[in-house]
């Protein structure tokens, strides 16, 4: 990125007479820009974000270049570049302020929680604050349907995700490029799209080839279209470095052959500002991350990692080793099978059908989960929100429930005491076992909210 900064500043001086004054000014600008870039990297911004903010901070130097003898047309071009980077800088500055405010608010919640309710809950509050902060830092440093079932359409409708206009065509978009690839030997698809504001729509097709379409709201230049690299078994899709004047919005549609999609070892999609939508792909490993956008899909199976800083996540079903994280947004899943870990800093978590183990955490939001097939454990914690679980009849349960400011209600409240019930509720805390081993362990804590466990 330093080479790109140096090259960009050097281009501004391309038509300036080679005087000592011009040379000294150019060297000074490059030195200052590189120092600012290093400072932004140290503060946790990615290379692309740091580059954007550095170039945006250069400002309008047309008059200065004119004094050094630059031609007027070049001054106009420099001004256009400066205005573009200034807008980019304003966008990333807004994003940075938003994340900083989120982290600060969460830290204050944790601090007040500990002071108000004492040492008993102080450790839990600190843990929640650290998790939220870690989630933000992870996302800031990370390298972002036509044929779907009625159930996923309903889930997507509930969270308000909509890519298309009523007639099924992408609104204000036109196809600017199309490519096809044979699937022979390809086991991994990696899409690195962080440098451009694009949505990604992955669908299944009966055609034998991979088919990719690029939609944009205006025509990009040839060197602003997607670049494709096939190295060994991996198909890599990314943008080049010429993003000056790139269309403000775009959509990438990826059609994968049905049998091929299920045999993929890896599908990775990274985008900075855009939504991601998937059908039932079935890759063994799926990594889907976006900084500012929603993620939704039909079914994700295998090793699944879903993350967004500012957006909702909605899936019909997930199965396997599942990690779901969002800093500011809701998580809604129809069915989870296996081991699921959900973290949201500011949002609700709702799981309609859980089979297996789950760890659900929210710093500020409600948690609702219906367990249809018990695994070994179910954990939930929220700093500010209610927690509600439904568990199957006839299973042994070991519960530990506690709230700092709220009520606890369970199905045990109306059970008669016998040799199979060892359950005690005392104020804001309830512990005990019900039924016979092996016990399904439920551990719930909330700072400000009610807890309900029912059958």
């Amino acid at each position: 990125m330093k080479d790109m900064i140096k090259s960009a500043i050097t281009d501004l001086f391309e038509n300036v007479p080679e005087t000592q004054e011009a040379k000294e000014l150019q060297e000074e600008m490059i030195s200052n820009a590189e120092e600012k870039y290093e400072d932004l990297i140290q503060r946790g911004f990615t290379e692309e974000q740091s580059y954007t903010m550095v170039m945006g901070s250069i400002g309008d130097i047309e008059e200065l270049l004119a004094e050094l003898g630059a031609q007027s047309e070049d001054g106009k071009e420099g001004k256009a570049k400066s205005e573009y980077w200034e807008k980019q800088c304003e966008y990333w500055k807004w994003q940075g302020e938003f994340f900083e405010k989120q982290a600060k608010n969460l830290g204050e919640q944790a601090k007040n929680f500990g002071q108000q309710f004492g040492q008993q809950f102080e450790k839990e509050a600190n843990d929640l604050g650290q998790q939220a902060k870690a989630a933000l830092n992870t996302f800031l440093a990370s390298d972002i349907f036509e044929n779907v079932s009625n159930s996923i359409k309903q889930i997507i409708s509930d969270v308000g995700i909509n890519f298309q206009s009523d007639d099924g065509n992408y609104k204000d978009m036109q196809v600017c490029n199309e490519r096809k690839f044979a699937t022979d030997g390809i086991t991994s698809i990696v899409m690195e799209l962080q440098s451009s504001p694009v949505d990604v729509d992955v669908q299944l097709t009966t055609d034998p080839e991979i088919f990719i379409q690029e939609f944009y709201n205006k025509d990009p230049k040839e060197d602003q279209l997607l670049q494709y690299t096939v190295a060994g078994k991996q198909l890599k899709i990314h943008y080049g470095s010429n993003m000056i004047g790139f269309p403000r919005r775009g959509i990438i549609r990826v059609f994968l052959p049905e049998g091929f999609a299920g045999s993929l070892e890896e599908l990775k999609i990274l985008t900075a500002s855009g939504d991601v939508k998937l059908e039932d792909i079935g890759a063994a490993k799926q990594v889907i991350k976006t900084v500012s956008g929603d993620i939704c899909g039909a079914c994700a199976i295998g090793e699944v990692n879903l993350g967004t800083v500012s957006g909702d996540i909605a899936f019909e079903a997930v199965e396997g080793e599942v990690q779901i994280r969002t800093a500011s947004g809701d998580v809604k899943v129809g069915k989870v099978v296996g081991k699921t870990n959900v973290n949201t800093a500011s949002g609700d978590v709702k799981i309609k059908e859980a089979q297996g183990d789950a760890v659900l955490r929210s710093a500020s939001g409600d948690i609702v989960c219906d367990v249809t097939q018990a695994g070994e454990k179910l954990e939930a914690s929220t700093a500010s929100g209610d927690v509600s679980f439904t568990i199957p009849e006839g299973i042994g349960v070991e519960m530990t429930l506690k709230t700092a400011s709220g009520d606890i209600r369970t199905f045990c409240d109306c059970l008669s005491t016998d040799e199979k019930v060892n359950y005690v509720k005392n104020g804001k805390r309830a512990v005990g076992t019900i039924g016979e081993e092996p016990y399904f362990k439920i551990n719930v804590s909330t700072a400000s909210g009610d807890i309900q466990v029912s059958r």
Side-chain angles (χ1 to χ4, degrees):
M1 284 296 181
K2 282 188 176 181
D3 291 340
M4 292 176 60
I5 293 173
K6 183 176 181 180
S7 177
I9 295 176
T10 301
D11 288 345
L12 294 177
F13 286 79
E14 181 178 1
N15 296 299
V16 176
E18 296 183 0
T19 64
Q20 183 64 27
E21 182 181 4
K23 181 179 179 181
E24 291 177 355
L25 177 59
Q26 179 179 332
E27 291 176 350
E28 181 181 357
M29 289 180 65
I30 292 174
S31 176
N32 291 340
E34 289 178 343
E35 288 180 3
K36 184 169 184 178
Y37 174 83
E38 289 293 344
D39 178 64
L40 291 169
I41 291 294
Q42 292 297 321
R43 288 165 56 189
F45 290 93
T46 65
E47 293 182 355
E48 290 80 5
Q49 293 168 351
S50 301
Y51 173 79
T52 300
M53 287 187 280
V54 167
M55 296 308 300
S57 68
I58 292 176
D60 187 355
I61 62 171
E62 180 182 357
E63 294 184 2
L64 181 59
L65 294 179
E67 292 178 1
L68 296 174
Q71 298 178 8
S72 59
E73 287 300 318
D74 295 316
K76 294 179 180 178
E77 182 180 354
K79 182 177 181 180
K81 291 180 179 179
S82 174
E83 290 175 347
Y84 170 79
W85 289 116
E86 183 178 2
K87 292 178 181 178
Q88 291 283 40
C89 179
E90 290 175 354
Y91 171 77
W92 287 113
K93 180 181 178 182
W94 176 85
Q95 288 278 33
E97 291 174 348
F98 172 79
F99 301 146
E100 183 179 359
K101 183 178 179 181
Q102 286 280 18
K104 183 178 179 180
N105 289 341
L106 291 171
E108 287 297 322
Q109 285 182 11
K111 180 180 177 181
N112 293 337
F113 165 56
Q115 291 175 346
Q116 183 177 359
F117 301 109
Q119 295 181 351
Q120 178 181 359
F121 299 101
E122 185 174 4
K123 184 178 183 301
E124 293 177 18
N126 288 334
D127 288 344
L128 287 169
Q130 290 299 321
Q131 288 168 10
K133 182 177 180 181
L136 289 171
N137 290 335
T138 298
F139 287 120
L140 287 174
S142 60
D143 295 304
I144 257 208
F145 290 144
E146 295 157 357
N147 301 315
V148 294
S149 65
N150 291 331
S151 55
I152 188 60
K153 285 182 178 179
Q154 184 60 49
I155 290 175
I156 294 167
S157 175
D158 289 346
V159 296
I161 301 172
N162 182 19
F163 284 177
Q164 299 175 314
S165 60
D166 293 337
D167 60 2
N169 297 318
Y170 292 110
K171 187 178 181 180
D172 301 326
M173 299 286 176
Q174 58 184 334
V175 179
C176 297
N177 192 35
E178 297 181 339
R179 290 287 299 271
K180 286 189 175 183
F181 296 89
T183 60
D184 296 342
I186 295 178
T187 61
S188 172
I189 297 178
V190 176
M191 303 181 68
E192 297 181 349
L193 312 175
Q194 301 97 314
S195 59
S196 303
V198 295
D199 297 327
V200 181
D201 184 1
V202 183
Q203 302 183 28
L204 298 178
T205 178
T206 56
D207 293 338
E209 295 180 302
I210 301 170
F211 180 44
I212 301 175
Q213 292 180 307
E214 296 179 62
F215 291 77
Y216 301 108
N217 60 346
K218 66 177 182 179
D219 288 332
K221 299 177 182 178
E222 184 67 26
D223 57 357
Q224 292 175 331
L225 296 170
L226 286 176
Q227 299 182 14
Y228 303 88
T229 304
V230 178
K233 298 180 179 181
Q234 183 185 91
L235 170 60
K236 185 175 182 180
I237 305 170
H238 61 97
Y239 284 103
S241 59
N242 182 17
M243 292 294 106
I244 297 177
F246 187 83
R248 293 304 304 162
R249 294 299 300 173
I251 298 174
I252 310 302
R253 295 180 75 186
V254 181
F255 295 88
L256 301 179
E258 291 179 345
F260 166 75
S263 66
L264 275 174
E265 294 178 2
E266 177 187 44
L267 174 64
K268 180 184 287 186
I269 302 174
L270 308 177
T271 176
S273 176
D275 299 327
V276 181
K277 181 172 57 177
L278 304 97
E279 286 197 45
D280 185 358
I281 304 305
K285 180 179 181 180
Q286 299 182 46
V287 178
I288 314 296
K289 292 187 177 182
T290 175
V291 175
S292 177
D294 300 318
I295 301 175
C296 64
C299 182
I301 302 175
E303 184 181 343
V304 181
N305 191 330
L306 309 174
T308 174
V309 174
S310 178
D312 298 322
I313 297 178
F315 265 75
E316 183 178 3
V318 293
E319 179 176 349
E321 297 282 343
V322 181
Q323 297 282 339
I324 301 177
R325 293 179 179 271
T326 174
S328 177
D330 298 329
V331 176
K332 185 174 183 179
V333 184
K335 180 179 180 179
V336 298
V337 180
K339 295 184 177 180
T340 303
N341 191 311
V342 177
N343 280 271
T344 175
S346 177
D348 298 329
V349 177
K350 184 175 183 180
I351 298 176
K352 292 185 178 180
E353 183 179 349
Q355 298 181 11
D357 297 347
V359 178
L360 314 175
R361 302 188 186 280
S362 174
S364 177
D366 297 332
I367 298 175
V368 179
C369 179
D370 292 340
V371 179
T372 57
Q373 183 175 326
E376 294 182 359
K377 66 177 182 179
L378 183 62
E379 297 182 8
S381 61
T382 175
S384 177
D386 299 329
V387 179
S388 176
F389 288 161
T390 301
I391 62 175
E393 292 278 1
I395 65 170
V397 181
E398 178 182 315
M399 291 191 294
T400 301
L401 316 174
K402 49 188 176 180
T403 177
S405 176
D407 297 326
I408 297 176
R409 297 183 297 275
T410 77
F411 64 92
C412 302
D413 297 338
C414 57
L415 290 179
S416 60
T417 302
D418 58 32
E419 66 278 4
K420 295 182 180 180
V421 178
N422 183 19
Y423 170 80
V424 176
K425 183 168 72 172
N426 184 7
K428 304 301 182 181
R429 183 180 178 90
V431 297
T433 59
I434 300 92
E436 299 178 346
E437 297 186 79
Y439 293 127
F440 177 45
K441 297 181 179 180
I442 299 178
N443 193 323
V444 181
S445 63
T446 175
S448 177
D450 298 331
I451 298 174
Q452 179 169 326
V453 181
S454 58
R455 283 179 166 172

